[in-house]
Amino acid sequence: MTTTLDASQNGAYPAKTTAAVSESHGEHGDHRVLGLMTFLASESLMFFGIFTAYLIYRSTAEVWPPEGTEVELFLPAINTIILVSSSFVIHMGDLAIKKGEVQKMRLWYAATIVMGLVFLGGQIYEYTELGYGLSTNVFSSCFYVMTGFHGLHVFVGVLMMMGVLWRSRRPGHYSATKHTGVEMTEIYWHFVDIIWIILFVLLYILTLF
Amino acid sequence: MQSPSPQPQEQGGHHHPEQWSWYHYFLYNTDHKVIGIQYLVTAFVFYLIAGVMALLMRTELYTADPDFLAPEVYNMLLTNHGTLMIFFWIVPAAIGGFGNYLVPLMIGAKDMAFPNLNAIAFWLNPIAAIFLFASLFFGGAQAGWTSYPPLSLITNNAGQSLWILAIALIGTSSILGALNFLVTIYKLKTPNMQWDELPLFCWAMVATSLLALFSTPVLAIGLIMLLFDINFGTGFFRPEMGGDVVVYQHLFWFYSHPAVYLMILPIFGIMSEVISTHARKPIFGYKAIAYSSLAICVVGLFVWVHHMFTSGTPAWMRMFFTISTLIVAVPTGVKIFSWVATLWGGKIRLTSPLLFAVGLLAMFVFGGLSGVTLGAAPFDIHVHDTYYVVAHFHYVLFGGSVFGLYAAIYHWFPKITGRMYNETLGRVHFVLTFIGTNLTFLPMHNLGLQGMPRRIAMYDPQFEFINKICTYGSMILGISILPFFFNMIWSWSQGTPAGRNPWRSLTLEWQTTSPPAIENFDEEPIVWAGPYDYGVDTQTFEADDPTVEEILAEVGQEMK
Amino acid sequence: MANEKETVPGTLITLTIGIVVTAVSVWYGKNNGLLPAQVSLQAPLVDDLFNVMVTIGTALFLVVEGAILYAVIKFRHRPGDESDSFPVKGNFSLEIFWTAIPAFLVIGLGIYSVQVYNQMGGFDTAGQMAHNHTHHHAVQVASLPSDGNTMPLLASADPNAYGIGATPEEGMRMADLEVDVVGMQYAWIFTYPETGIVTGELHVPVNQDIKINIEAKDVLHAFWLPEFRIKQDAIPGKTTQLRFVATQTGTYPIVCAELCGAYHGGMRSQIIVHSPEDYADWVASNTVAQVPAAESVAIAPMMTDSDRILAHTAAQPITPTMLDQIPTPTAL
Ligand code: HEA
Ligand code: HEA
Ligand code: CUA
Ligand SMILES: [Cu+2]
């Protein structure tokens, strides 16, 4: 007898479908959440890269930010408050759907969308007010690319929430037990929020010192 | 078969044909095996193109004068040779190709966790390739595969920008792939397989994926910054605007050093499978091999500055990264020694896969040792950016990764195609490749030590003789492709049918038909032995001789 | 598995192999002849390090490759034998052994490298000593006094300098001669601040302490003296340095080692190490001619460099117009 054993040629073992096999089919909820988290872990390194670069530029510059490219603080602070509170608002939506209250969830999500859009509007307004551009110096380059890149993420988050709203039109699409899409959107939104807090510290708070 | 196996169609509600037809391989398809083959074949095409570029470069270097190619063209070729080989051949073939083909089979799953994401990740490859080849029409990127600014900012902006887009796309592909592998292995491993029964290839894929996940985004942001500098006037890498060219190098190598482990870790996984199977002996030190992959992956994240020893690098960094670089030799050594110990006392079949695996072992050790010399900063200062480095990385990349891929292709050819390849042609291929590789790349060490820098089309005539040898070697390498090519094409259509398990291997992929059914297993695969338990069951059978039925029933009990 | 009878000759064989491998490795480490002439004080240090690594490498190479070759031949499959091998799955002490030995070797190499680097003068660039990152190794590094008054005495007090500076013996002494070099596509321009000489080749006196301040005008270049075993990138926006003592007169190549454009391969020059008298002559004959026309002379080496590329590529499909298309250094 050698070690060659071929299971499938053998009848002794009853072919049965275990949970794993049926689960391996299609994209299941828990996989998707795990997948998203993994993706966000990866994404955060993208921000990590540019944040580190920013800190290097800052540490080697004599004046930071260079003269003529100072940042405004008031408006961004308000914007920050809006974005941070939106994380709580979206979480209310998550709590609602866990109780099966689709309508409430829709309301909370709509509110988050509005807050996200206000944030983006504020950001654009800030851009127009600053008086320097992408190519003024390395600080302004960092400023626009970092906030712009983050803004892009906010925008994607808004789109995702709109997707949730759109899908939740159909009764029963989301329920207390089935709401992976809602949950993923929330996770993503928190991620965008956390990145903003770091960004705010780097670009605004740190420039005060 | 007593109990009818459940039809795949019934389970998932998918409506697949019984077997794929040839045209399915050219379309969007979510079957991990189709995707694996798509990866392998496209990557191989890129390999041939990049290989032809290398042959053109070697022809240019036959003489000291730039008499065959214009220097710009030479730089374009070397940039795209490196780019294609790394980003379009090794990474997609090893990770995308074999990773996709094998991981679900090895863990007894039907497919990857995210089949659609998987297909998207693959199709980013041809799109990226279109960008890369489009860049060639604009003269191509010419700043080396490292694309250091400021050179990359001022030479051929159109070509360079397209190059960046190509790399960004392929990087996205590799992030999506990595994510998919992690979730797949973590979630879809058949529950009757313990973690310490996971084939070592899958362990290697875990380490590889972690590395890809954490390092690729940093390259992506570096390239985006470069793209903005070129096209939108930002100043990240423009000193006159307060930027810093060395920052790019950090961002680049933070990815690209781990990238070299991306290119070798899956190969290490392949090595464990091939060596154990063809030596008919359990892998020596399963745990040590599995964990050393993770160790390499962790240490590998902290050695990147060894590519920048002569750059704007303060002394403490030079020393810190000297030591961290040297440390990588330890876990790698553990693997090497374990494989040698696996061979030792085996009953080694000198099949083509084993020959390539042993060839790899021989050359990788050499390349690794030259890598260790490079890791010592005081010496690297002398040889950095010379042919010594070129020699080092071709030993580990060609002698390592490419040999490993050849071993894998031969090893799993029967599984993938259902037919055996021709052993004689395989051996001829091995001998030619082995000779060619050493003839091409061994003398390059000498060139570098004596003073020939890399990336030059015109060089000091004193180096002409050695360069001629290298060029002859590369011609042998060019020829060595032919038996391989012929073997593959002929055997795929005419080879003798291989059956399920021609190597009598124990990993799960060999339990299914060759080629595997569309959803891999007709029935739940049984993990009735560890992946490398060669010779183990022979003993028990001799002792009390249970029937196959009994063993399998036992396995079934344990599962409950 | 070896039985009792085989064990004794087994150890003998191992011993013999060990001695042979050691002997061959040590011999090859000493006699590999792979490196070019040694012309600086750093060169022997680097070469010794290299030779030690070659010795270790050769030993490891012989042992590993020997084991592979032996295994593949000795344990090859015999026709007709379809059984599997004896299932050895591991051996804890053996695994510890082959983890510990390399660990020991690389730590040793690491310490040795730091020591060589220190002797080469690697630590004498500012910024590093401030953080005492070198505390763990035996060799003490020349430490920077924090007292600002002594700063001007330091040859390399520039906090932004990277590269190789004064060796511990040279300590705080100023270099005997400082030369500024600018790398540009595709030439090195040397300026002697004391005499105002501007040239395309580096002339230095033998056995003197020379310091090169390296700058880049356009893109990255790398200033490499193969016979001196030293190299340093020229980085736009940063000043880097190399400090060395030439130990032999003669003419040696200067090579640009960092890809800097199409004609990177043509960016070569020479370092001429003079005897003190010759050097004095050279300075004398150049000072007169150079000073008034420093501006125009700065261009001249570039021209000769292009000429050199042209000469090098004579009768090749490279036309002067192509050379004109080389991006000008001011392209940035
Ligand atoms: C598959 C790819 C691959 C792999 C696996 C490696 C492996 C290693 N590499 Fe390599 N490397 C490259 C691909 C790779 N490299 C590429 C592409 C470049 C050039 C990039 C460019 O500039 O274009 C490069 C460049 C490069 C440099 C920069 C050189 C320069 O530009 O100046 C350095 C320096 O430290 C280095 C070191 C190492 C080390 C220490 C290892 C180690 O991991 C090797 C470990 C293995 C062994 C040591 C052998 C087996 C071990 C034993 C037998 C145990 C006992 C050993 C000892 C005690 C020493 N590599
Ligand atoms: C996996 C990676 C990989 C592989 C496999 C190779 C393979 C080869 N490389 Fe590569 N090389 C790199 C990665 C790789 N290289 C990288 C990263 C660089 C650095 C780039 C940079 O500096 O930026 C480099 C640079 C590089 C240089 C240095 C250029 C310079 O610095 O100036 C040279 C010079 O000889 C070279 C040569 C070769 C040769 C001869 C092969 C041979 O092994 C190739 C053998 C050829 C074939 C196998 C093709 C055969 C095909 C045919 C004969 C056609 C048949 C056609 C049909 C059937 C349709 N390479
Ligand atoms: Cu200057 Cu290469
Ligand atoms: Cu590296």
Side-chain angles (χ1 to χ4, degrees):
Chain A
M1 182 72 212
T2 64
T3 53
T4 318
L5 267 183
D6 201 328
S8 57
Q9 286 166 354
N10 195 287
Y13 179 70
K16 66 169 177 128
T17 321
T18 62
V21 172
S22 42
E23 236 177 46
S24 70
H25 215 75
E27 311 189 352
H28 279 264
D30 51 339
H31 299 177
R32 276 190 291 154
V33 172
L34 187 65
L36 179 73
M37 307 267 247
T38 324
F39 181 74
L40 292 181
S42 180
E43 270 254 82
S44 62
L45 269 123
M46 213 156 161
F47 285 101
F48 164 82
I50 194 162
F51 290 169
T52 317
Y54 172 85
L55 285 174
I56 297 175
Y57 298 137
R58 181 175 181 274
S59 71
T60 50
E62 271 143 39
V63 202
W64 194 260
E67 249 161 84
T69 45
E70 287 81 10
V71 286
E72 235 254 82
L73 211 63
F74 181 63
L75 185 69
I78 295 181
N79 240 350
T80 306
I81 294 169
I82 294 176
L83 199 67
V84 172
S85 16
S86 77
S87 251
F88 293 95
V89 177
I90 199 171
H91 187 64
M92 297 306 289
D94 183 65
L95 291 181
I97 195 69
K98 282 197 175 125
K99 288 191 218 122
E101 297 164 338
V102 178
Q103 281 314 318
K104 272 201 186 152
M105 181 276 282
R106 294 187 56 146
L107 273 179
W108 289 117
Y109 268 60
T112 318
I113 293 179
V114 172
M115 293 171 95
L117 289 176
V118 169
F119 175 87
L120 284 178
Q123 192 85 21
I124 291 170
Y125 177 77
E126 192 192 351
Y127 284 0
T128 57
E129 290 293 291
L130 278 177
Y132 50 84
L134 196 59
S135 51
T136 308
N137 58 34
V138 71
F139 173 78
S140 73
S141 301
C142 284
F143 177 84
Y144 283 104
V145 171
M146 279 158 71
T147 53
F149 194 48
H150 174 265
L152 195 70
H153 281 74
V154 175
F155 184 67
V156 170
V158 169
L159 288 184
M160 283 169 73
M161 288 185 286
M162 288 180 166
V164 169
L165 284 192
W166 179 252
R167 290 184 165 192
S168 59
R169 275 172 318 138
R170 261 203 0 238
H173 188 92
Y174 295 119
S175 67
T177 48
K178 181 166 148 295
H179 52 255
T180 313
V182 181
E183 205 180 325
M184 286 170 72
T185 311
E186 190 204 349
I187 295 174
Y188 181 81
W189 194 252
H190 289 324
F191 169 76
V192 168
D193 209 7
I194 294 170
I195 295 290
W196 175 259
I197 294 171
I198 304 174
L199 224 163
F200 184 74
V201 170
L202 288 178
L203 277 180
Y204 296 93
I205 309 281
L206 274 189
T207 51
L208 294 177
F209 303 107
Chain B
M1 210 163 283
Q2 287 146 0
S3 46
S5 60
Q7 292 305 300
Q9 283 91 338
E10 287 165 14
Q11 275 179 21
H14 285 221
H15 296 283
H16 293 316
E18 274 304 308
Q19 275 299 320
W20 300 118
S21 305
W22 62 270
Y23 59 87
H24 285 118
Y25 290 86
F26 293 85
L27 302 176
Y28 182 90
N29 194 315
T30 58
D31 182 351
H32 72 99
K33 297 183 293 302
V34 175
I35 294 177
I37 294 171
Q38 286 174 328
Y39 265 116
L40 280 175
V41 173
T42 39
F44 193 78
V45 171
F46 297 140
Y47 171 51
L48 288 183
I49 298 170
V52 171
M53 288 177 169
L55 297 184
L56 291 174
M57 277 158 35
R58 283 306 335 161
T59 314
E60 163 64 68
L61 294 171
Y62 190 71
T63 57
D65 296 325
D67 42 8
F68 176 63
L69 303 165
E72 292 86 359
V73 176
Y74 181 87
N75 284 358
M76 180 273 275
L77 286 175
L78 89 90
T79 304
N80 289 284
H81 163 74
T83 306
L84 280 167
M85 286 291 190
I86 284 177
F87 293 106
F88 289 79
W89 157 234
I90 303 291
V91 172
I95 305 177
F98 284 107
N100 262 304
Y101 198 93
L102 295 174
V103 165
L105 283 167
M106 282 181 164
I107 62 174
K110 295 196 160 205
D111 206 323
M112 298 283 284
F114 308 111
N116 270 307
L117 197 67
N118 202 15
I120 292 169
F122 165 72
W123 284 100
L124 285 175
N125 281 263
I127 298 174
I130 291 174
F131 276 94
L132 193 73
F133 291 119
S135 83
L136 300 186
F137 283 98
F138 293 92
Q142 296 172 8
W145 81 285
T146 50
S147 285
Y148 281 0
L151 184 63
S152 53
L153 300 178
I154 61 168
T155 28
N156 199 4
N157 287 345
Q160 191 69 47
S161 303
L162 285 165
W163 180 91
I164 292 173
L165 291 173
I167 304 303
L169 282 174
I170 210 125
T172 312
S173 160
S174 114
I175 291 176
L176 297 181
L179 177 170
N180 214 340
F181 285 120
L182 282 181
V183 177
T184 304
I185 296 178
Y186 185 63
K187 288 275 180 179
L188 300 186
K189 182 170 62 63
T190 176
N192 50 36
M193 177 185 278
Q194 306 303 313
W195 280 104
D196 62 0
E197 289 170 339
L198 190 67
L200 286 166
F201 179 73
C202 297
W203 272 114
M205 288 304 296
V206 171
T208 310
S209 304
L210 284 173
L211 216 48
L213 216 52
F214 288 117
S215 56
T216 320
V218 179
L219 172 75
I221 195 70
L223 290 180
I224 290 172
M225 288 158 79
L226 190 63
L227 190 71
F228 270 68
D229 269 15
I230 295 176
N231 295 298
F232 307 114
T234 53
F236 296 114
F237 311 126
R238 292 180 186 272
E240 70 277 15
M241 284 171 67
D244 187 337
V245 297
V246 179
V247 168
Y248 174 85
Q249 300 177 13
H250 282 290
L251 293 173
F252 182 86
W253 288 115
F254 187 84
Y255 165 76
S256 291
H257 177 80
V260 311
Y261 295 117
L262 285 187
M263 291 183 281
I264 205 68
L265 285 175
I267 304 295
F268 284 169
I270 289 167
M271 286 290 283
S272 302
E273 307 296 331
V274 170
I275 289 191
S276 178
T277 303
H278 293 267
R280 310 295 318 154
K281 198 161 157 280
I283 194 82
F284 192 96
Y286 173 93
K287 286 219 169 85
I289 295 184
Y291 295 150
S292 61
S293 291
L294 298 174
I296 291 176
C297 145
V298 172
V299 182
L301 281 173
F302 299 97
V303 304
W304 76 92
V305 175
H306 67 214
H307 296 274
M308 302 166 55
F309 280 151
T310 70
S311 181
T313 312
W316 71 266
M317 259 195 202
R318 291 178 173 184
M319 294 300 102
F320 174 86
F321 285 94
T322 291
I323 291 170
S324 63
T325 301
L326 294 175
I327 288 173
V328 181
V330 178
T332 318
V334 167
K335 282 176 185 293
I336 302 279
F337 295 133
S338 300
W339 292 322
V340 176
T342 306
L343 288 172
W344 198 269
K347 298 192 173 172
I348 303 169
R349 269 95 175 141
L350 294 179
T351 52
S352 305
L354 187 100
L355 285 175
F356 273 101
V358 168
L360 185 162
L361 213 50
M363 277 183 291
F364 183 82
V365 168
F366 192 77
L369 291 172
S370 71
V372 168
T373 62
L374 288 171
F379 174 67
D380 181 68
I381 288 173
H382 174 52
V383 287
H384 169 70
D385 262 329
T386 68
Y387 264 82
Y388 188 86
V389 176
V390 176
H392 156 67
F393 69 73
H394 282 93
Y395 261 86
V396 282
L397 276 172
F398 195 92
S401 306
V402 178
F403 268 58
L405 284 171
Y406 279 138
I409 291 172
Y410 285 112
H411 183 72
W412 281 288
F413 185 84
K415 178 54 53 188
I416 295 175
T417 64
R419 293 174 188 277
M420 289 308 285
Y421 59 86
N422 181 305
E423 198 63 73
T424 314
L425 280 177
R427 288 183 182 147
V428 171
H429 176 213
F430 169 74
V431 172
L432 283 178
T433 317
F434 191 80
I435 295 175
T437 310
N438 287 296
L439 201 59
T440 313
F441 301 118
L442 187 63
M444 287 185 185
H445 292 95
N446 224 317
L447 289 176
L449 290 166
Q450 293 289 330
M452 177 165 165
R454 60 193 276 207
R455 295 169 163 171
I456 57 174
M458 55 194 109
Y459 57 87
D460 194 319
Q462 76 175 99
F463 302 124
E464 204 163 61
F465 175 70
I466 299 183
N467 269 293
K468 284 202 159 81
I469 299 178
C470 297
T471 302
Y472 292 131
S474 69
M475 299 300 157
I476 296 182
L477 282 178
I479 293 168
S480 76
I481 279 283
L482 296 179
F484 174 73
F485 223 69
F486 184 68
N487 197 352
M488 291 298 112
I489 290 174
W490 187 81
S491 305
W492 199 320
S493 55
Q494 309 292 318
T496 48
R500 286 176 180 236
N501 194 352
W503 307 128
R504 298 187 291 120
S505 182
L506 296 178
T507 39
L508 289 185
E509 78 273 23
W510 300 98
Q511 279 193 22
T512 184
T513 48
S514 306
I518 280 189
E519 294 206 326
N520 293 351
F521 298 97
D522 300 334
E523 37 192 278
E524 174 79 348
I526 308 155
V527 185
W528 58 272
Y532 310 106
D533 280 351
Y534 298 103
V536 173
D537 285 312
T538 325
Q539 313 285 313
T540 46
F541 289 159
E542 277 159 11
D544 46 333
D545 220 339
T547 61
V548 177
E549 271 88 346
E550 275 167 0
I551 293 203
L552 292 174
E554 234 173 70
V555 176
Q557 288 301 321
E558 280 166 18
M559 280 166 47
K560 281 169 198 153
Chain C
M1 293 284 107
N3 59 35
E4 280 305 313
K5 266 180 242 155
E6 279 169 357
T7 317
V8 180
T11 10
L12 260 182
I13 292 171
T14 320
L15 196 69
T16 325
I17 293 178
I19 292 172
V20 171
V21 166
T22 315
V24 170
S25 311
V26 169
W27 179 84
Y28 189 64
K30 287 213 158 66
N31 299 290
N32 55 62
L34 290 169
L35 288 157
Q38 303 176 331
V39 188
S40 71
L41 285 181
Q42 282 101 343
L45 297 171
V46 175
D47 292 6
D48 286 348
L49 172 64
F50 177 69
N51 290 341
V52 167
M53 293 193 293
V54 169
T55 308
I56 297 175
T58 311
L60 285 166
F61 180 82
L62 290 177
V63 169
V64 179
E65 309 281 338
I68 296 171
L69 208 63
Y70 179 79
V72 168
I73 294 168
K74 174 85 195 293
F75 302 112
R76 70 183 184 281
H77 167 235
R78 306 299 144 110
D81 178 4
E82 289 308 308
S83 63
D84 289 340
S85 332
F86 187 80
V88 187
K89 287 195 168 185
N91 180 328
F92 190 67
S93 38
L94 189 58
E95 285 171 49
I96 293 292
F97 173 74
W98 69 43
T99 313
I101 295 287
F104 177 75
L105 285 173
V106 295
I107 290 171
L109 269 183
I111 294 172
Y112 184 21
S113 299
V114 174
Q115 203 167 332
V116 169
Y117 188 68
N118 177 43
Q119 284 166 357
M120 288 171 73
F123 285 108
D124 183 56
T125 36
Q128 295 98 38
M129 276 114 350
H131 332 275
N132 198 9
H133 281 276
T134 52
H135 53 272
H136 54 277
H137 55 86
V139 186
Q140 196 41 54
V141 182
S143 57
L144 258 185
S146 49
D147 180 3
N149 293 335
T150 51
M151 291 302 268
L153 275 177
L154 290 170
S156 52
D158 179 359
N160 291 319
Y162 298 100
I164 302 284
T167 61
E169 292 94 81
E170 286 156 4
M172 322 251 141
R173 257 182 290 126
M174 297 272 278
D176 298 329
L177 171 66
E178 280 200 42
V179 185
D180 297 334
V181 51
V182 177
M184 59 175 73
Q185 285 173 326
Y186 300 95
W188 296 108
I189 311 295
F190 301 91
T191 312
Y192 292 68
E194 283 159 38
T195 51
I197 298 175
V198 178
T199 103
E201 289 174 338
L202 180 57
H203 293 256
V204 298
V206 71
N207 289 331
Q208 295 217 17
D209 186 3
I210 319 283
K211 186 178 168 226
I212 313 271
N213 303 311
I214 306 167
E215 277 174 45
K217 196 160 183 186
D218 37 36
V219 299
L220 290 165
H221 303 271
F223 188 83
W224 180 28
L225 303 171
E227 277 74 9
F228 296 63
R229 311 287 189 273
I230 49 178
K231 178 187 290 130
Q232 176 58 48
D233 286 8
I235 304 169
K238 293 188 197 299
T239 308
T240 57
Q241 63 170 10
L242 284 176
R243 194 161 157 174
F244 59 87
V245 176
T247 52
Q248 271 178 48
T249 55
T251 302
Y252 307 98
I254 297 174
V255 182
C256 174
E258 181 68 56
L259 178 61
C260 54
Y263 295 88
H264 160 55
M267 186 164 163
R268 274 178 271 155
S269 185
Q270 289 176 332
I271 173 171
I272 296 112
V273 182
H274 294 283
S275 64
E277 306 79 49
D278 285 356
Y279 180 71
D281 286 353
W282 178 80
V283 171
S285 61
N286 279 271
T287 317
V288 196
Q290 297 268 346
V291 175
E295 265 316 294
S296 60
V297 177
I299 308 300
M302 273 202 73
M303 301 302 289
T304 49
D305 200 77
S306 302
D307 291 347
R308 191 161 47 233
I309 295 169
L310 261 192
H312 190 71
T313 61
Q316 312 309 337
I318 292 183
T319 58
T321 39
M322 288 179 66
L323 280 178
D324 290 341
Q325 286 158 4
I326 297 171
T328 50
T330 49
L332 249 182

